Amino acid sequence: PVGWASHLRKIIRKRDNYTCQSCGAKNKKLNVHHIDHNKQNISLNNLTTWCTSCHMKHHNGQRKK
């Protein structure tokens, strides 16, 4: 269901004051990251706001392991 994802992204970004919770950047494109990496876990405490740069660095580094 795509509708829930869009709705949750708005809630999480607003909760995190439209700020990357990894580097503190504002005014960047923001993604919502699943802390436990389980995309089925959409609990609000499992979601955080990261800028695209931090999100890509995290996932690219994770794949190299």
Side-chain angles (χ1 to χ4, degrees), residues 9-62:
R9 282 195 279 275
K10 289 176 186 176
I11 290 170
I12 299 303
R13 289 176 183 144
K14 183 175 181 179
R15 178 200 68 194
D16 292 343
N17 198 28
Y18 304 97
T19 302
C20 175
Q21 301 301 295
S22 181
C23 74
K26 292 184 179 238
N27 302 319
K28 283 189 165 185
K29 183 170 170 34
L30 299 173
N31 301 138
V32 173
H33 172 70
H34 292 83
I35 296 167
D36 70 1
H37 304 284
N38 177 359
K39 291 186 179 189
Q40 301 304 313
N41 183 357
I42 57 171
S43 169
L44 295 181
N45 64 359
N46 185 49
L47 301 171
T48 189
T49 303
W50 280 3
C51 68
T52 300
S53 178
C54 287
H55 204 201
M56 294 301 292
K57 285 177 190 174
H58 174 78
H59 284 291
N60 286 339
Q62 188 179 53

